[in-house]
Amino acid sequence: MRKLGSVLLTVYKTVIANVFAAIVGVLTVISGFFTCYIDRNEKTYFVQDSVWKNIAILLVALCALYFSKRAKTVQRFLTKIETDKKLFQKFRCILLMAVMGICAVWILTSQYTPGSDQAAIQNAVSCLRSGDYSSFAPDGYLSQNVHQLGLVWICYVLSFLIGSQNYIALQLLNAAGIVLVYHGLSSIGARFGMSRVQQLEIILWGILFFPLLMYSSFLYGNVCGLAFSIIAIKKVMDYFESGKWIDALMSVLAMILSVMLKTNFLVFMIGMIVLIVEEAIRRKNRICLFIPVFLIVGVMAQSNGIRMYFERVTGFDLEGSSYLAYVAMGLQESETRAPGWYNKYVNNSWKESGYDKVIQGEMAKNELEKRAEHFIKYPGDAVSFFLRKTASQWNNPTFQCYNIVQWRESLIEQSSWIKNFVSTSGAHRGAIYLDTLVFLLLMGAFGYCILFRKKEDLSLTLGLAVIFIGGFFFHLFWEAKGQYTLPYFILLIPYAVAAYSKFGDCLVRTFETRKPAKKANKFVQECAFLLGAVIVIFLSITVIFTGGRGEVLKVDTESYRIFLENEG
């Protein structure tokens, strides 16, 4: 049995590492050659990018990394952080305070009110307080969207403390959640074996990559759900290290809260369960397997418990839309948005079914069969569809951080800098900056797959990769949105930090050692392997693109230029 467990672990690590490298590699190539912009109406523009510009920026970044590694003053300072725990904690506190400060400034100077689903949720909470249960009626928002009941319940409980419709207080809670996200990722980095300097770099990258910071004003459960998911993963890793059941309990509670806030975080939960099972096999600790049991029971209990609570209070049966309807919509074209994005199918089919979940599910099955038959008959359409859908979610460098606020009202007369920042031209400038940053992060994550491919113990380091893989495949079929893929993209930051740090060390050893031949040879081999992998991926992409299908990722280059001129 022990040999079988060892074999299974080896196969698991190999498969996960290779699938992760393949997905990140494909996204890196797409990011290098193309980009996507999105306007206030969620229309995605597929635009040609300059691969030479991206490569040039990458080379400049590597040169800056090399000289920072050579600079004695910089290295003395970093060594002091590495050896002085109090100094490290001081700088970590400063960076986390900067995260909170930036979010607070954004919240207080913008003061955006919720819109669309956010507004429906907050209005439902307000109506609950006054005894109005119309949102739970068969044609009401929550009757269809029962997956939002957890968020409604939490906001309802909080309303007794902060009042209902208190947007600023809830947004500040989001800001605190973002602080917890980067604190948690930094701590997970420590479990990866990353240095103290690298842990600080994770937070710094989080500040530079600002879309998540802008989501502090977005009251939809995404931010706090991500925070609790990161806490859950961190705590279960603490349990592996300490063996203390209090850590396991906190992990379970945090993940239950995460799924309660946003059911999409079931993907994070499944990834964590995979990590726990893998660790149970590796450590030969069967007791660990009780954690997934408690987790699954807890999530089911909170989901059913909250639903039954609202059914008893409101007197309405709450079934909600069939999840198959979201998959069906995720495989449809959209007239105004990118493939797989919201096109009203779920809402329309819910009404057509007479608000019956079973009937809607049958309708969705028929739609799925039609789409499957179409993709099988016309494989070219399938390639085009999934390329555009993938690019619209993962190669949109803003991840909708501008789109979510451009159409919303504000409680105040905003200052000119806010208006300029979220304007079409301001969003374009931000997207250009983020486009470069996304490419660097993807290149770093892909570099991790290459540079750390021979690492003996990939157990914990693959934990985030499993979740990323799950998120990628889940949203390949589910409803598409940049806001949905952002939590998974954030998980790439620790991998990118580790890769750039090791690559910088390789550069220094190659050019400054007295016996450069051996070191240089090893370095060249690593670079050759990396370059070869990129070329193979690129050739694979170009083969897929044969027949002109590659044009779909740059088809809007000219129309986007005209759009900017008209909006200018």
Side-chain angles (χ1 to χ4, degrees):
M1 290 297 292
R2 290 185 178 181
K3 288 184 178 179
L4 178 60
S6 178
V7 171
L8 288 175
L9 287 179
T10 301
V11 172
Y12 160 79
K13 292 174 184 177
T14 302
V15 170
I16 294 300
N18 288 332
V19 172
F20 182 56
I23 292 173
V24 174
V26 169
L27 293 179
T28 303
V29 172
I30 292 176
S31 176
F33 287 86
F34 312 100
T35 193
C36 292
Y37 298 103
I38 188 169
D39 65 17
R40 66 180 65 236
N41 298 314
E42 284 192 341
K43 174 179 170 57
T44 296
Y45 293 85
F46 298 93
V47 177
Q48 176 80 57
D49 203 354
S50 172
V51 66
W52 300 113
K53 175 208 71 176
N54 289 327
I55 291 175
I57 291 173
L58 176 64
L59 292 176
V60 170
L62 293 177
C63 287
L65 180 63
Y66 169 70
F67 286 113
S68 70
K69 292 281 186 179
R70 278 192 58 190
K72 293 182 179 179
T73 304
V74 174
Q75 290 307 306
R76 279 197 298 268
F77 175 69
L78 297 181
T79 300
K80 192 172 182 181
I81 292 177
E82 205 65 55
T83 56
D84 190 335
K85 184 178 180 179
K86 289 184 178 180
L87 186 63
F88 160 70
Q89 292 175 336
K90 177 182 177 181
F91 275 96
R92 183 175 64 178
C93 183
I94 290 173
L95 288 174
L96 292 175
M97 287 176 64
V99 171
M100 186 68 191
I102 294 170
C103 291
V105 169
W106 167 248
I107 291 167
L108 296 175
T109 56
S110 62
Q111 297 201 25
Y112 284 110
T113 60
S116 190
D117 292 79
Q118 303 171 71
I121 291 168
Q122 297 305 317
N123 289 335
V125 171
S126 183
C127 289
L128 267 172
R129 293 289 302 273
S130 61
D132 179 358
Y133 305 137
S134 57
S135 295
F136 297 87
D139 60 346
Y141 175 82
L142 291 175
S143 178
Q144 176 185 346
N145 299 282
V146 294
H147 56 278
Q148 305 284 21
L149 290 178
L151 177 59
V152 170
W153 185 80
I154 289 176
C155 291
Y156 177 65
V157 172
L158 285 174
S159 70
F160 289 97
L161 176 65
I162 62 175
S164 59
Q165 307 284 3
N166 190 345
Y167 310 135
I168 301 301
L170 293 173
Q171 289 171 353
L172 289 173
L173 286 177
N174 270 349
I178 295 172
V179 172
L180 292 175
V181 166
Y182 288 117
H183 180 274
L185 280 180
S186 175
S187 300
I188 290 172
R191 293 298 184 200
F192 283 8
M194 297 175 70
S195 67
R196 288 172 175 170
V197 171
Q198 291 171 341
Q199 293 172 50
L200 295 180
E201 289 174 354
I202 290 173
I203 304 173
L204 183 60
W205 273 92
I207 295 173
L208 295 175
F209 182 69
F210 61 77
L212 186 61
L213 307 185
M214 288 181 65
Y215 268 89
S216 58
S217 66
F218 194 65
L219 303 179
Y220 202 44
N222 307 52
V223 173
C224 288
L226 176 60
F228 282 117
S229 282
I230 295 296
I231 290 171
I233 296 166
K234 190 261 182 185
K235 281 298 177 183
V236 84
M237 289 182 176
D238 288 345
Y239 167 74
F240 296 149
E241 189 72 20
S242 67
K244 296 179 180 179
W245 274 95
I246 185 64
D247 290 328
L249 178 61
M250 292 180 68
S251 175
V252 169
L253 292 176
M255 187 56 76
I256 290 173
L257 283 170
S258 176
V259 176
M260 187 186 300
L261 284 162
K262 194 73 176 172
T263 53
N264 286 19
F265 287 104
L266 282 169
V267 176
F268 277 71
M269 187 187 85
I270 293 170
M272 193 173 84
I273 290 174
V274 171
L275 173 63
I276 293 169
V277 172
E278 190 273 337
E279 282 294 298
I281 296 173
R282 189 174 73 89
R283 297 172 182 267
K284 302 177 182 62
N285 183 358
R286 295 179 182 178
I287 298 178
C288 291
L289 297 177
F290 282 103
I291 302 176
V293 174
F294 294 147
L295 185 57
I296 294 171
V297 171
V299 167
M300 291 178 64
Q302 69 84 14
S303 176
N304 291 322
I306 291 174
R307 179 177 57 81
M308 288 189 294
Y309 168 78
F310 280 121
E311 285 182 339
R312 183 172 60 83
V313 170
T314 65
F316 292 108
D317 291 331
L318 301 173
E319 291 185 342
S321 292
S322 169
Y323 288 125
L324 287 177
Y326 288 93
V327 179
M329 184 169 69
L331 294 178
Q332 293 176 345
E333 294 283 355
S334 175
E335 292 183 5
T336 59
R337 297 176 175 87
W341 285 59
Y342 177 76
N343 64 3
K344 297 184 179 180
Y345 172 79
V346 176
N347 302 58
N348 293 337
S349 61
W350 177 246
K351 293 177 183 178
E352 291 172 13
S353 68
Y355 312 114
D356 189 300
K357 183 177 183 178
V358 176
I359 296 176
Q360 187 191 33
E362 290 300 319
M363 294 169 61
K365 285 181 183 178
N366 293 333
E367 177 63 24
L368 287 171
E369 289 175 0
K370 291 179 183 178
R371 292 301 287 168
E373 290 174 1
H374 178 81
F375 287 151
I376 292 171
K377 187 176 181 180
Y378 303 100
D381 287 355
V383 171
S384 173
F385 179 90
F386 287 110
L387 274 175
R388 288 178 292 137
K389 183 177 182 181
T390 298
S392 67
Q393 296 182 95
W394 298 95
N395 199 31
N396 168 8
T398 67
F399 291 89
Q400 291 186 262
C401 68
Y402 288 98
N403 163 263
I404 61 169
V405 298
Q406 286 176 325
W407 53 273
R408 285 160 59 191
E409 300 293 331
S410 175
L411 294 171
I412 61 172
E413 177 61 33
Q414 295 175 335
S415 61
S416 58
W417 77 267
I418 287 284
K419 293 179 180 178
N420 291 333
F421 180 70
V422 302
S423 67
T424 298
S425 57
H428 177 66
R429 289 191 295 269
I432 291 175
Y433 160 77
L434 291 170
D435 181 49
T436 299
L437 209 60
V438 164
F439 177 74
L440 291 177
L441 280 170
L442 285 169
M443 199 68 203
F446 184 62
Y448 180 92
C449 299
I450 305 303
L451 297 174
F452 288 84
R453 66 190 182 280
K454 295 181 180 179
K455 189 171 182 179
E456 293 180 1
D457 183 13
L458 288 174
S459 301
L460 294 180
T461 58
L462 287 178
L464 299 182
V466 171
I467 297 171
F468 181 87
I469 293 169
F472 179 84
F473 284 110
F474 177 70
H475 286 290
L476 196 61
F477 300 98
W478 195 258
E479 178 191 1
K481 272 187 182 294
Q483 61 178 264
Y484 293 161
T485 56
L486 177 60
Y488 304 101
F489 189 83
I490 294 294
L491 302 184
L492 297 181
I493 292 178
Y495 295 114
V497 167
Y500 282 122
S501 180
K502 183 172 182 178
F503 201 79
D505 293 336
C506 289
L507 286 172
V508 172
R509 287 199 306 269
T510 299
F511 294 110
E512 295 194 354
T513 183
R514 293 183 178 181
K515 297 180 180 180
K518 186 176 180 180
K519 297 290 184 181
N521 184 47
K522 183 179 179 181
F523 179 72
V524 170
Q525 288 177 357
E526 290 178 336
C527 289
F529 190 91
L530 174 61
L531 181 60
V534 172
I535 291 174
V536 168
I537 292 172
F538 176 69
L539 290 177
S540 300
I541 294 290
T542 54
V543 169
I544 294 175
F545 285 171
T546 55
R549 288 190 290 273
E551 295 295 319
V552 298
L553 295 185
K554 60 178 181 180
V555 68
D556 298 316
T557 303
E558 180 61 22
S559 60
Y560 182 69
R561 184 188 64 79
I562 296 173
F563 165 75
L564 287 178
E565 290 179 354
N566 293 336
E567 292 289 321

